[in-house]
Structure formats: structure tokens, C-alpha cells
Amino acid sequence: MNEIKALCKVYLVNTLSNKFVFLFNLVLPTIYFLYKNIRYLSQPKVAFSHQTMMVISYFWAYIIMVTLLNNVIVAIISQRENGFYKQLFFIVGSKWKILTANFLVQLVILNVELLIFNLVVIGVTHNFHISLLIAGMIATFSVAVPVTFISSLLFLLKVKIESINVLVTILLFVLFLTMNLPKSHAMGDLLSLLNPITYIVDTSYQLLLFFFNHVIQGAATVRLGIVTIIYLVIGWFAISKLTVHSIADRV
């Protein structure tokens, strides 16, 4: 536990020193939200309708996905390639301690990002609802581990650090592009959740639906549970294959 606490301090300092990532993780989506909804600033209280909850879910999905990819997955790959990950591994002797420490730090940062974004939503809609803040926090805790696990598949790719940011950008574009493909049956709904963006959106929407309308959609919840297990199994396999050796050392 002491080793994880020490590692958390290292990752916290490292993350706070790289403020540029917050531009993509939080600032850009917040500015875009303000741009698309600036008309509501001069209007009275805006109710949280189904459409509003879905829009919020999309923005949450972007912030969560980009933060986890950039600050956890890409960060570990970068540290592996520059040798920092190997140094930490030799000190603590466990990849899980390193990953856990980094993940915990990013989880705190992610909650702060969503809190700021949700406060902006409240300011724009003139509708202060504590349920929005609670739902955002629960959504983060609900999806962060499964999404990090499935994103760990990137650890298996033999891609040099010079190319990883380009690859992640293309991946995000494809995920957002394919998230709204038509679904003709229940199995289609299940398969669509294999897209992490859709998974986060659906989870977030179900939580907002529960907190604002006190509705639980049983079939959707079951599908999310099944996909969560799939994510965890695949991610456990991917993380188990994570090595301290950089791509340059293996080619």
C-alpha cells in the first residue's frame, strides 16, 4: 500500500506538469458545449429532458474516454518506451501496482473534470440538480475500470511511441463514427456496446434516467453487465501481456 501511495504522488506530479492534455480532455468539449448551447444562457430554467440527458451522456463519454486513453493507456506506453516504466517496475516489482497507482490518480482527475463540466451544464441550463453531479461521479466509477481494461488492448500493438498518438486519434474518430450504426435486434444492441464510446454513453444515460426519472431499464442493464464482464476478461489478458521492454528493444 505504501508503494502505491508513493507511486500515486509520482503520477500526480507528472500529470499536473502536463497541463496540455487537459485542453483535449476538458477544455475543448466544454467550449464546444457552450458554443452549441449558448442560446440557453439568456433563457429561463431548462428541464433535463431525455434529449438533454443523451447529449450530456455524449460529452461525458468523450471526456471519460479521452482522459483514460491519454492519461492511462498512452501514458503507460510512453513510459514503457522511454524506460520510465521499467525503472518503476524494478523498484516495486509489480505491473499491477504501477497501473493501479496511475489509474487512481486519473480517476480523481476524471471526477474533477466531470464536476467542472457538469457545473458548466448547470450554469447554462440554470437548473441546479444535485442528481447530475452524483450521476456523473457514479458513471465515472462504473465505467472507468472496464474501459481502461478494454483499452489495454493497445498494449499488445507493436507501435512505436511516435505513432501511438496518431493511432489513438484515428481510433477515437472510428469509435465516434461507428457508435450510431443502425441496430436491428437485441443482439445488435449488445454488439454495439463493444464500442467503448457506446458503452459509456449507454451507462451514463441509464444512470441519468434513474436519477431524474427513477426508471431502470432491465434489458439495457443486463446488456451492460454482460459487456462489462467481456471488457474485464479481455483487458485482464491484455494487461497480463504487458512487458517492460520497449518496442525498440524488440525489433
Side-chain angles (χ1 to χ4, degrees):
M1 183 59 70
N2 289 333
E3 291 174 333
I4 293 179
K5 288 181 180 179
L7 287 170
C8 284
K9 293 179 182 178
V10 172
Y11 277 112
L12 181 60
V13 171
N14 183 63
T15 301
L16 294 179
S17 66
N18 185 16
K19 298 179 179 62
F20 187 72
V21 296
F22 293 104
L23 176 67
F24 294 97
N25 298 356
L26 176 63
V27 177
L28 288 182
T30 302
I31 291 175
Y32 184 70
F33 177 83
L34 287 170
Y35 169 74
K36 296 295 290 185
N37 298 278
I38 194 70
R39 64 187 183 277
Y40 292 121
L41 285 173
S42 59
Q43 296 183 11
K45 182 178 177 180
V46 178
F48 286 108
S49 64
H50 288 274
Q51 182 179 359
T52 306
M53 290 187 283
M54 184 57 70
V55 170
I56 292 173
S57 297
Y58 282 128
F59 279 94
W60 285 3
Y62 175 89
I63 294 171
I64 292 172
M65 191 71 201
V66 173
T67 298
L68 292 176
L69 273 177
N70 285 337
N71 294 10
V72 179
I73 304 302
V74 174
I76 292 295
I77 293 175
S78 177
Q79 291 160 12
R80 181 187 64 188
E81 296 306 305
N82 63 30
F84 183 66
Y85 173 74
K86 181 186 291 186
Q87 294 176 16
L88 292 180
F89 182 81
F90 287 155
I91 294 173
V92 301
S94 170
K95 73 176 73 174
W96 290 103
K97 290 181 180 179
I98 298 173
L99 291 171
T100 299
N102 188 20
F103 174 79
L104 290 176
V105 170
Q106 305 312 325
L107 188 61
V108 172
I109 290 175
L110 183 53
N111 271 285
V112 173
E113 290 176 343
L114 278 189
L115 175 62
I116 294 173
F117 176 79
N118 289 335
L119 289 175
V120 171
V121 173
I122 290 172
V124 170
T125 60
H126 307 292
N127 186 354
F128 181 80
H129 209 307
I130 193 66
S131 294
L132 180 66
L133 305 181
I134 297 175
M137 182 175 63
I138 295 178
T140 302
F141 284 105
S142 299
V143 304
V145 172
V147 170
T148 300
F149 267 54
I150 194 66
S151 301
S152 297
L153 284 171
L154 292 176
F155 292 154
L156 303 179
L157 300 181
K158 294 183 178 180
V159 180
K160 294 185 178 180
I161 190 58
E162 294 83 1
S163 306
I164 191 63
N165 288 323
V166 176
L167 177 64
V168 168
T169 301
I170 295 174
L171 175 62
L172 285 170
F173 177 78
V174 172
L175 290 177
F176 275 101
L177 187 66
T178 59
M179 66 174 296
N180 288 321
L181 291 178
K183 302 179 282 288
S184 58
H185 44 72
M187 183 57 68
D189 290 335
L190 182 63
L191 292 176
S192 71
L193 291 175
L194 295 178
N195 180 333
I197 302 294
T198 305
Y199 173 81
I200 300 172
V201 169
D202 280 19
T203 302
S204 300
Y205 179 73
Q206 293 301 320
L207 285 167
L208 288 169
L209 201 60
F210 172 75
F211 276 100
F212 283 93
N213 295 349
H214 308 292
V215 173
I216 299 177
Q217 296 181 333
T221 303
V222 170
R223 287 194 295 269
L224 288 169
I226 293 173
V227 173
T228 297
I229 294 173
I230 294 173
Y231 278 16
L232 294 176
V233 171
I234 294 175
W236 189 274
F237 169 78
I239 294 174
S240 69
K241 299 297 181 180
L242 177 62
T243 174
V244 299
H245 302 294
S246 67
I247 296 298
D249 295 335
R250 288 179 274 165
V251 297

